[in-house]
Amino acid sequence: MQRKKSPVLSSVLSLIVPGLGQVYAGSPSRGAAFFIAIAVTAILVRWRGNSLLYTGIAVAWLWNVWDACNLAQGRRLSSILPFLAIALVLYVIGWGVTEINLRRLLTDVADVKPLVSDLFQPAVFERDIEELVGEVQFESPCSDSPPAKGSPLESEPYLVLVDKTCGDPGDTFTIEGGNFWPNSRGYIWWSNLAGEMEFRVRYKGDYLTFETDEEGRIPPTTVIVQEPFAEAKDKGPQLYRVQARMRRETGPLHLSETFFLVVEKMVETVFLALMATTIAIIIAIPISFLAARNLMGGNPISMAVYYVVRTILNTLRSIEPLIMAIIFVVWVGLGPFAGVLALAVHSIAALGKLYSEAVESIDPGPIEAITATGANRLQTIVYAVIPQIVPPYLAFTIYRWDINVRMSTIIGFVGGGGIGYLLQQWIRLLMYEEAGAAVWAIAIVVAIMDYASAKAREKIT
Amino acid sequence: MLQIEHLTKIYGDGTVALDDVSFEVPDGEFLVILGLSGAGKSTLLRCINRLIEPTKGRIIWDGTDITASSGEELRQIRRHIGMIFQEFNLVERTSVLINVLSGRLGYVNPWLSLLHYFPREEVDRALRNLERVGIADLAHKRADELSGGQRQRVGIARALMQEPRLMLADEPVASLDPVLAHSILRYLEQLNREDGITVICSLHFLDLVRRYASHVVGLKDGRVVFQGLPDEITDRRFKEIYGEEAERITVA
Ligand SMILES: Nc1ncnc2c1ncn2[C@@H]1O[C@H](COP(=O)(O)OP(=O)(O)OP(=O)(O)O)[C@@H](O)[C@H]1O
Ligand SMILES: [Mg+2]
């Protein structure tokens, strides 16, 4: 470092390979920083960036030459300028890679409105549903003896065929009916004769609906003859049932089926957290002693155990519980057990580390004092060690419990049981009112648990 | 009679904390160990009850070789040696009474003690000892709620539970103000005079040494550099123990 280096050579080196001049001038770490920063940024620009961004790299590159020149003369420049140039380039790339699109954030805000409003109307209460069905039989394709047109009934809802009673798929025919609720809307359904295959008929993409008049009559409505069901293909003429269905809510509000389902799954969720936390505590306590340096120090074998345990704990801790859950779902199958295992393993790793740090930070003084009274080892542990580790163990356990309650609500997203499984399904089926009920249940339970554990924590300190 | 013979302690990192230390402590003595920080006072005291394993040398107490004992025998010896500490070493978050009772762990049924059960007479003994150090009213407070002086008195009460014949005190007053220092040392003096307990106490201040010691051992860099009566510590002797730059500090 004392001997002056040639500034020209240093500059040329840095011009060819960024950082090389700095290495030559005796500052290898600075050289490495320049090289890595410029190389990585250049690769990223090539991969995802706009060629305009090469300007930023050029600035950094030129500056790096200037820096090498100065360094050779023993002067260190502040590297704020190339740092800013590189940072700017990286943020521009980052903006693109993460597809940030502020315009959409503003223009598409309407899309989320129904979802949010459904979430705020969780399906907690519902009324009973009552349904009116009228039906008539239709044949496709036509046989020698097509069915009758049907006839109006006295007081029951009915449907009759107006023009045809049979036809090929794609043909249209007309129906009408009566004795439905007045001034209401209903849907047309199509099913096979046995009634176990059925669907709502669509017309030009929308469901085919009808509106009744003030006397509950269905005006003439055009229906398209549907394709045969797969199993009835090439079997010749078949009878189908054409139905008009109308539903409405009736009676007083009562707690919904969704509500009870959510409660049931929420109970499962809390138990999932409880089992996982308890299993973790039981296993983490002995492990924490093996991972405590102050207990394991001294002889090489116990030190080896210490390092092995620490390494395992650190590795396990770095695996997210959701990923762990995927592994256990494959192993023990879908359901809460997989979730319990995933959370338990992660918690063992996390608690093992926290507990062992609590053991490491105990004051050796009381241990010394109790040993000096002639107490045996077990007495020393009970009187000098346990009183010191119980408060931190409790605090860490409560903290872990909080995390596990939260995690258990989403572990179901990957099949680990609990309320998350329902929530994920409802979101996929666009059943946002039901999803809303689940979201509210999660929020309420997590808030209650948070409050309770905050109280518990106050007690122990 | 406690005999220390050629005691040497070399720590794992090679530090020689005690170097061929030999002296004798007749029963009933109030021996003060004097020395700079790092001289090896704590190491010496902890070798006596084997909280620290000596590297070489022997410690013989009334004919028993403490350095050769182990297991149950060592615990039997330890329960007759009380110890108090500069940092008190009480178990925080635990009541004063339990702290004091824990001094009796070497005597009571070990299994019952694990359940924190102590017989009535032991509880009475604890209360008597607390009374003796003047803090009977604090029995049910938590140790971490006490002041420094009160804590050290709990430490003494705990040591008294052992009915010790020898009391080790490692700078018992270094964390306390001068007034409290005297009051704590007076308790030790009282134990020494009235109960005939041999006291080995490490101290920093010469005034306290003159006032309480019946005999003094000076340590420097792990070696004995002075042995004699407190009055024999002249300024020149003092400088031998504490180094040339040392000034005497006076304690009220
Ligand atoms: N566990 C240990 N490992 C290594 N060296 C130690 C250890 N304990 C003490 N020592 C060293 O041994 C020497 C004597 O220490 P000791 O604590 O006995 O001194 P002391 O006279 O009690 O000092 P103080 O007045 O500061 O308490 C010191 O140099 C210290 O650094
Ligand atoms: Mg010391």
Side-chain angles (χ1 to χ4, degrees):
Chain A
M1 272 301 273
Q2 298 297 4
R3 202 167 49 87
K4 279 274 157 65
K5 303 279 169 60
S6 153
V8 177
L9 178 57
S10 178
S11 309
V12 170
L13 285 174
S14 269
L15 188 62
I16 300 167
V17 179
L20 197 57
Q22 282 81 352
V23 175
Y24 159 76
S27 200
S29 55
R30 198 175 171 92
F34 268 113
F35 180 77
I36 292 171
I38 291 179
V40 168
T41 316
I43 291 169
L44 286 171
V45 170
R46 227 189 109 71
W47 174 52
R48 282 301 279 267
N50 179 321
S51 46
L52 210 62
L53 294 176
Y54 284 117
T55 348
I57 294 176
V59 169
W61 199 311
L62 287 177
W63 202 93
N64 132 75
V65 173
W66 173 235
D67 180 69
C69 175
N70 276 281
L71 209 57
Q73 296 165 324
R75 284 195 300 266
R76 268 174 184 274
L77 302 178
S78 140
S79 41
I80 191 87
L81 180 75
F83 178 80
L84 286 180
I86 296 282
L88 189 66
V89 172
L90 290 179
Y91 279 117
V92 170
I93 297 173
W95 185 278
V97 169
T98 54
E99 298 173 17
I100 291 178
N101 186 340
L102 294 181
R103 225 193 37 182
R104 278 195 76 172
L105 198 57
L106 295 177
T107 55
D108 297 359
V109 67
D111 291 2
V112 79
K113 265 194 196 137
L115 190 160
V116 173
S117 78
D118 276 0
L119 288 183
F120 279 97
Q121 299 167 25
V124 176
F125 296 103
E126 66 184 11
R127 293 177 206 278
D128 286 336
I129 299 286
E130 97 189 296
E131 191 177 46
L132 293 183
V133 181
E135 70 169 30
V136 66
Q137 290 182 3
F138 187 84
E139 192 184 50
S140 170
C142 286
S143 69
D144 300 340
S145 53
K149 284 187 172 176
S151 50
L153 298 174
E154 190 83 1
S155 54
E156 298 283 297
Y158 68 88
L159 214 53
V160 294
L161 296 168
V162 179
D163 46 1
K164 310 180 197 163
T165 64
C166 72
D168 289 329
D171 289 352
T172 57
F173 62 100
T174 309
I175 54 169
E176 60 181 21
N179 292 338
F180 285 84
W181 295 309
N183 298 322
S184 326
R185 180 201 284 268
Y187 292 92
I188 304 294
W189 287 69
W190 187 272
S191 74
N192 64 2
L193 196 59
E196 90 277 6
M197 309 280 276
E198 61 173 26
F199 59 88
R200 244 194 281 187
V201 174
R202 283 174 182 275
Y203 180 67
K204 289 184 181 157
D206 285 330
Y207 290 120
L208 184 58
T209 62
F210 57 84
E211 304 257 357
T212 52
D213 63 15
E214 56 271 25
E215 273 147 57
R217 281 193 298 258
I218 299 175
T221 306
T222 307
V223 182
I224 300 179
V225 179
Q226 304 291 312
E227 295 291 331
F229 291 101
E231 100 248 320
K233 275 219 166 74
D234 311 322
K235 276 203 183 158
Q238 299 283 324
L239 283 176
Y240 294 92
R241 293 154 89 163
V242 181
Q243 297 181 327
R245 296 190 191 175
M246 205 173 240
R247 312 180 119 203
R248 72 174 178 198
E249 292 181 332
T250 162
L253 280 176
H254 56 82
L255 286 170
S256 66
E257 229 172 283
T258 306
F259 173 82
F260 290 107
L261 197 55
V262 164
V263 168
E264 186 193 321
K265 283 291 165 183
M266 207 62 227
V267 170
E268 181 182 304
T269 306
V270 173
F271 270 114
L272 197 161
L274 178 71
M275 296 312 284
T277 312
T278 310
I279 293 173
I281 295 168
I282 292 169
I283 299 179
I285 287 177
I287 283 182
S288 69
F289 294 112
L290 298 178
R293 185 179 269 277
N294 54 341
L295 299 184
M296 301 302 284
N299 86 60
I301 296 174
S302 60
M303 253 343 243
V305 172
Y306 163 85
Y307 280 116
V308 169
V309 173
R310 272 271 150 137
T311 310
I312 294 175
L313 291 186
N314 286 339
T315 314
L316 286 179
R317 219 154 34 88
S318 68
I319 304 174
E320 280 298 314
L322 281 181
I323 295 173
M324 205 94 81
I326 293 173
I327 295 171
F328 281 114
V329 164
V330 173
W331 188 344
V332 301
L334 281 176
F337 184 45
V340 167
L341 289 173
L343 288 188
V345 170
H346 190 78
S347 302
I348 288 168
L351 282 180
K353 182 173 181 326
L354 291 173
Y355 285 172
S356 67
E357 279 164 3
V359 174
E360 282 175 354
S361 65
I362 60 175
D363 176 7
I367 300 175
E368 208 177 26
I370 300 293
T371 310
T373 65
N376 65 30
R377 221 164 225 282
L378 220 49
Q379 289 174 317
T380 309
I381 289 175
V382 168
Y383 280 84
V385 178
I386 290 182
Q388 293 196 64
I389 60 175
V390 163
Y393 271 39
L394 276 179
F396 290 138
T397 306
I398 293 171
Y399 166 69
R400 196 67 224 171
W401 162 251
D402 277 354
I403 295 177
N404 281 348
V405 169
R406 279 158 206 272
M407 280 309 305
S408 65
T409 61
I410 57 162
I411 201 97
F413 273 66
V414 294
I419 188 121
Y421 189 67
L422 277 183
L423 179 56
Q424 166 259 141
Q425 281 196 325
W426 282 332
I427 290 174
R428 278 203 206 144
L429 298 173
L430 310 183
M431 295 165 70
Y432 294 132
E433 287 177 13
E434 283 78 1
V439 169
W440 278 100
I442 290 172
I444 291 168
V445 168
V446 168
I448 291 172
M449 293 296 169
D450 264 6
Y451 178 79
S453 56
K455 282 278 158 213
R457 208 167 303 143
E458 268 170 33
K459 274 264 151 56
I460 60 170
T461 45
Chain B
M1 166 100 102
L2 183 75
Q3 296 154 287
I4 314 263
E5 297 175 353
H6 308 293
L7 193 67
T8 298
K9 172 64 191 179
I10 303 171
Y11 281 110
D13 60 357
T15 311
V16 182
L18 294 175
D19 186 1
D20 196 22
V21 170
S22 299
F23 60 88
E24 288 184 353
V25 191
D27 286 346
E29 193 145 275
F30 194 121
L31 176 79
V32 167
I33 299 179
L34 199 58
L36 266 180
S37 184
K41 306 182 294 293
S42 300
T43 307
L44 173 59
L45 287 172
R46 282 171 174 71
C47 281
I48 294 174
N49 62 1
R50 292 272 302 280
L51 289 177
I52 290 177
E53 283 304 312
T55 311
K56 269 201 287 251
R58 296 204 305 167
I59 300 169
I60 297 179
W61 191 32
D62 294 342
T64 316
D65 187 350
I66 296 180
T67 39
S69 69
S70 63
E72 191 52 39
E73 189 193 2
L74 177 60
R75 284 201 290 277
Q76 294 291 326
I77 294 170
R78 273 181 182 154
R79 64 180 208 187
H80 293 296
I81 305 178
M83 187 163 194
I84 59 178
F85 304 84
Q86 173 178 350
E87 297 301 336
F88 322 128
N89 288 354
L90 302 185
V91 182
E92 316 275 316
R93 300 174 189 274
T94 305
S95 74
V96 166
L97 187 62
I98 291 290
N99 266 287
V100 174
L101 281 167
S102 69
R104 200 67 184 168
L105 286 173
Y107 289 87
V108 297
N109 180 319
W111 298 109
L112 288 178
S113 76
L114 295 183
L115 305 172
H116 284 71
Y117 170 82
F118 289 90
R120 187 71 233 170
E121 75 252 29
E122 300 297 355
V123 177
D124 289 341
R125 188 195 307 275
L127 292 172
R128 273 203 307 281
N129 281 325
L130 278 172
E131 198 148 346
R132 189 157 180 195
V133 293
I135 48 169
D137 50 328
L138 300 181
H140 296 287
K141 280 210 152 191
R142 257 168 54 156
D144 47 6
E145 293 168 353
L146 305 188
S147 70
Q150 291 167 337
R151 285 177 194 215
Q152 194 57 295
R153 286 193 262 178
V154 175
I156 295 175
R158 175 171 67 189
L160 284 177
M161 291 298 281
Q162 296 174 242
E163 301 183 303
R165 286 189 285 126
L166 172 63
M167 180 76 100
L168 306 173
D170 187 12
E171 298 185 34
V173 297
S175 312
L176 302 176
D177 67 49
V179 181
L180 278 172
H182 277 294
S183 100
I184 293 295
L185 285 171
R186 268 199 295 272
Y187 280 117
L188 289 182
E189 186 179 44
Q190 197 188 355
L191 298 179
N192 178 246
R193 297 236 174 103
E194 292 173 11
D195 304 28
I197 298 173
T198 309
V199 175
I200 305 180
C201 175
S202 64
L203 285 178
H204 266 312
F205 297 118
L206 197 55
D207 297 56
L208 293 177
V209 178
R210 290 239 168 90
R211 162 78 177 73
Y212 294 100
S214 66
H215 219 84
V216 178
V217 166
L219 273 187
K220 190 184 181 195
D221 297 336
R223 269 194 226 126
V224 178
V225 292
F226 174 88
Q227 269 199 71
L229 299 174
D231 294 338
E232 293 168 6
I233 310 178
T234 59
D235 279 0
R236 204 179 56 72
R237 290 298 223 159
F238 181 77
K239 288 200 167 152
E240 273 173 28
I241 301 173
Y242 274 82
E244 284 304 320
E245 287 93 68
E247 289 291 330
R248 279 176 50 184
I249 303 165
T250 317
V251 172

